[in-house]
């Protein structure tokens, strides 16, 4: 498992019983987590007095108890700064386990010895975009939600990268890639974090199990002649990391060479020393 162990402003303090206790800067949050199904004695005092807790409803959804939380605050990861906000459906706008992929991308960019252009698809609040820009890449950030793209701009500004070469695009990712292919634009690296389920702008259904393979096949058409890397993230329950390997090997390695590694990603747990699984990632890297 690839564990995000480089944090100082974030810590997964404890987890169990379907919940996790986290420290975001100086704020303690309790949030549901479907992977943390084991029992824990909950000895950490933060369980009893968190600054915010997300409680699920018996009828679906849920709500925050957050009287002690500000509307927004910041956390840092190395030289990067991100805005954190309690959102609907338990989220905060940042997935700290993804730091393992930010580090991987930054190392690839810095060691490339040439200018690198990165296409970040389903780019959400832009943590990966900001990380790549900080490493010196030109970035195209694409997400269908205007509010998420604005939040990503705020993260770039918070990290001192408001003037970095990042294109901010509000668009359906598949439609955008199709247009980029027609325009003849090419990218040296692609990062994608596709949802498990969603609907496109004209009602078309995205279901990861059916849509991921043809989407990666489409994205192969926007790669440069010497691509550097591809990262695919997945939070879909039941999708094994090896599936990401097979997709990347079938569609990318056969055309460009290189190799693929896939694994679970996770967060180390301070109280127990365990690592909480938080999805999977597949990484293809080209031959240097």
């Amino acid at each position: 498992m690839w564990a995000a162990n480089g944090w100082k402003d974030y810590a997964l303090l404890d987890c169990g019983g379907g919940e996790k206790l986290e420290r975001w800067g100086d704020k303690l949050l309790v949030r549901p987590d479907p992977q943390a199904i084991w029992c824990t004695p909950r000895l950490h005092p933060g369980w009893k007095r968190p600054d915010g807790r997300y409680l699920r409803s018996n009828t679906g959804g849920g709500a925050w108890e957050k009287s002690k939380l500000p509307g927004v605050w910041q956390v840092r990861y190395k030289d990067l700064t991100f805005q954190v906000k309690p959102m609907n459906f338990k989220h905060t706008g940042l997935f700290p386990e993804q730091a393992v992929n930010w580090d991987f991308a930054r190392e690839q960019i810095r060691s490339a010895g040439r200018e690198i252009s990165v296409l970040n698809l389903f780019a959400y609040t832009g943590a990966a975009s900001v990380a790549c820009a900080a490493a010196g890449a030109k970035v195209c950030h694409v997400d269908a939600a205007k509010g998420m793209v604005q939040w990503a701009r705020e993260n770039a500004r918070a990290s001192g990268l408001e003037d970095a070469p990042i294109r901010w695009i509000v668009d359906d990712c598949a439609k955008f890639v199709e247009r980029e292919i027609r325009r003849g634009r090419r990218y040296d690296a692609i990062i994608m974090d596709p949802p498990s389920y969603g609907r496109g702008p004209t009602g078309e259904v995205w279901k990861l199990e059916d849509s991921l393979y043809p989407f990666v096949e489409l994205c192969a058409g926007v790669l440069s002649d010497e691509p550097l890397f591809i990262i695919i993230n997945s939070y879909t329950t039941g999708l094994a990391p090896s599936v990401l390997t097979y997709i990347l090997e079938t569609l990318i390695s056969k055309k460009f060479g290189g190799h693929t590694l896939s694994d679970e990603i996770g967060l180390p747990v301070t109280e127990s020393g365990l690592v909480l699984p938080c999805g999977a990632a597949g990484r293809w890297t080209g031959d240097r």
Side-chain angles (χ1 to χ4, degrees):
M1 187 185 296
W2 295 322
N5 52 19
W7 280 96
K8 293 183 179 179
D9 266 12
Y10 171 87
L12 176 53
L13 301 174
D14 197 10
C15 58
E19 290 185 309
K20 56 188 175 184
L21 172 65
E22 306 165 289
R23 178 177 58 78
W24 295 79
D26 60 354
K27 309 300 180 186
L28 296 182
L29 302 184
V30 174
R31 296 191 293 158
D33 194 288
Q35 297 288 350
I37 62 174
W38 53 85
C39 294
T40 176
R42 300 199 176 200
L43 299 178
H44 193 287
W47 284 111
K48 296 180 179 178
R49 52 175 189 274
D51 297 291
R53 182 189 296 267
Y54 187 89
L55 296 174
R56 289 202 183 280
S57 168
N58 293 330
T59 58
W64 282 94
E65 290 181 344
K66 56 178 183 178
S67 59
K68 293 185 286 184
L69 283 180
V72 58
W73 69 101
Q74 294 184 340
V75 297
R76 290 183 58 81
Y77 180 75
K78 298 181 178 179
D79 57 328
L80 309 175
T81 301
F82 303 113
Q83 307 272 24
V84 177
K85 308 174 190 178
M87 301 168 60
N88 293 335
F89 196 62
K90 77 177 182 179
H91 294 309
T92 62
L94 189 67
F95 293 90
E97 63 274 9
Q98 288 298 327
V100 294
N101 286 326
W102 310 334
D103 288 343
F104 168 81
R106 297 215 285 180
E107 175 58 30
Q108 291 289 314
I109 292 164
R110 287 169 174 161
S111 63
R114 56 189 170 100
E115 184 178 75
I116 298 299
S117 58
V118 178
L119 176 61
N120 188 12
L121 300 168
F122 310 98
Y124 195 48
T125 60
S129 297
V130 172
C132 291
K138 296 169 62 177
V139 181
C140 182
H141 172 108
V142 187
D143 196 277
K146 183 177 181 180
M148 294 300 102
V149 175
Q150 179 57 39
W151 192 335
R153 284 177 174 270
E154 294 171 6
N155 282 332
R157 188 178 303 110
S159 293
L161 295 167
E162 61 268 30
D163 296 324
I166 305 175
R167 294 170 62 205
W168 304 104
I169 307 294
V170 179
D171 203 348
D172 174 80
C173 288
K175 301 291 190 226
F176 178 78
V177 172
E178 289 170 354
R179 284 195 293 273
E180 290 291 87
I181 291 172
R182 291 196 295 269
R183 294 170 184 137
R185 286 207 177 105
R186 297 293 181 262
Y187 297 88
D188 302 303
I190 298 175
I191 301 170
M192 64 178 74
D193 198 348
S196 298
Y197 182 85
R199 289 190 178 273
T202 57
E204 61 269 36
V205 174
W206 168 282
K207 187 177 180 183
L208 190 75
E209 296 90 332
D210 300 328
S211 304
L212 182 59
Y213 186 92
F215 183 73
V216 177
E217 187 175 28
L218 173 68
C219 289
V222 82
L223 286 170
S224 65
D225 293 335
E226 296 182 36
L228 184 64
F229 69 85
I230 297 174
I231 300 173
I232 303 176
N233 291 306
S234 171
Y235 287 95
T236 301
T237 303
L239 188 71
S242 56
V243 173
L244 302 177
T245 294
Y246 300 153
I247 291 174
L248 288 166
E249 288 290 301
T250 301
L251 294 174
I252 307 300
S253 292
K254 284 189 176 180
K255 182 176 181 180
F256 295 101
H259 65 281
T260 305
L261 291 175
S262 299
D263 208 338
E264 291 181 289
I265 57 176
L267 290 166
V269 185
T270 305
E271 193 78 6
S272 64
L274 302 174
V275 179
L276 177 68
C278 301
R283 301 170 179 167
W284 175 87
T285 50
D287 297 319
R288 298 285 182 97

